[in-house]
Amino acid sequence: MFDQLDAVRSHIAERLSEAASNRKSPMHTPVVGTADGEMRVMVMRDFDTGSWTLRFHTDARSPKVATIGEGAPVSVLLYDPGAKVQIRVKGIGRVESAGPVADKAWAEANNFARRCYLAEAAPGAPSDSPTSGLPPEVEGIEPDDATLITARENFAVLLVRLESADWLYLAHTGHRRAQFDLGSGEGRWVVP
């Protein structure tokens, strides 16, 4: 099925594009890791094929924002069990809470998604009881635009410019694995 490096590289780009645009894609919610060893599942919001850049949304008060800042290593693990394809990518992440990219992402988000940024405390803050962190008046509803004005200051985008990709195809006839330097476009087959 996969026997040409160029086809595998194209496959990686296609899978990342699908993951960003199709919420039913098994790769839509990959695991994102930061240099401090923390990992979390995040929703992939966009993939720019020209620059090999992934976009995620995050709370500007989140601990990962301080870890990543204006540039730090980020890894992303995507897996499709039906297709038996794993993609691991690494790059440099940066967080933007202001500017055209963040403003556009905020404008494109629906009010249910924006509601998350109304949380009264930062992600990871201790609580005496189970909580979403949301104010009671927006719990379980789609707030109007006026209610969400204060949420914008807590919204940020995480952009990860990918530098490398590791692709693994699991097959009973024999697994296949390839690695790519996405800057140069060079790839190589490796033992799975």
Side-chain angles (χ1 to χ4, degrees), residues 4 28 36 53 64 66 68 71 73 96 147 152-153 179 191:
Q4 299 293 319
H28 185 60
D36 58 0
T53 300
K64 72 179 157 294
I68 297 168
E96 294 183 11
T147 304
R152 176 60 183 92
E153 69 189 49
Q179 296 175 333
V191 176

Side-chain angles (χ1 to χ4, degrees), residues 83-141:
K84 299 179 183 174
V85 171
Q86 171 185 277
I87 299 171
R88 294 184 298 158
V89 290
K90 294 180 183 178
I92 299 298
R94 74 178 190 283
V95 176
E96 294 183 11
S97 57
V101 175
D103 290 342
K104 182 176 188 270
W106 178 259
E108 291 175 351
N110 65 38
N111 283 2
F112 270 119
R114 291 177 183 172
R115 180 183 66 169
C116 299
Y117 304 99
L118 286 172
E120 297 170 323
S127 174
D128 293 333
S129 60
T131 181
S132 67
L134 294 173
E137 63 273 12
V138 298
E139 192 78 47
I141 66 156

Side-chain angles (χ1 to χ4, degrees), residues 30-171:
V31 176
V32 178
T34 47
D36 58 0
E38 292 292 328
M39 295 177 286
R40 75 281 294 150
V41 173
M42 295 183 75
V43 175
M44 189 187 319
R45 303 293 183 172
D46 189 44
F47 172 60
D48 181 325
T49 56
S51 65
W52 286 89
T53 300
L54 304 176
R55 188 185 84 220
F56 302 90
H57 297 173
T58 190
D59 192 304
R61 303 167 294 174
S62 171
K64 72 179 157 294
V65 169
T67 301
I68 297 168
E70 294 181 15
V74 173
S75 58
V76 181
L77 170 65
L78 308 100
Y79 183 63
D80 180 340
K84 299 179 183 174
V85 171
Q86 171 185 277
I87 299 171
R88 294 184 298 158
V89 290
K90 294 180 183 178
I92 299 298
R94 74 178 190 283
V95 176
E96 294 183 11
S97 57
V101 175
D103 290 342
K104 182 176 188 270
W106 178 259
E108 291 175 351
N110 65 38
N111 283 2
F112 270 119
R114 291 177 183 172
R115 180 183 66 169
C116 299
Y117 304 99
L118 286 172
E120 297 170 323
S127 174
D128 293 333
S129 60
T131 181
S132 67
L134 294 173
E137 63 273 12
V138 298
E139 192 78 47
I141 66 156
E142 182 177 8
D144 60 25
D145 291 344
T147 304
L148 291 163
I149 291 172
T150 59
R152 176 60 183 92
E153 69 189 49
N154 297 327
F155 176 79
V157 294
L158 165 58
L159 301 168
V160 184
R161 183 162 187 150
L162 303 179
E163 297 177 337
S164 66
D166 188 304
W167 172 90
L168 175 66
Y169 174 60
L170 302 172

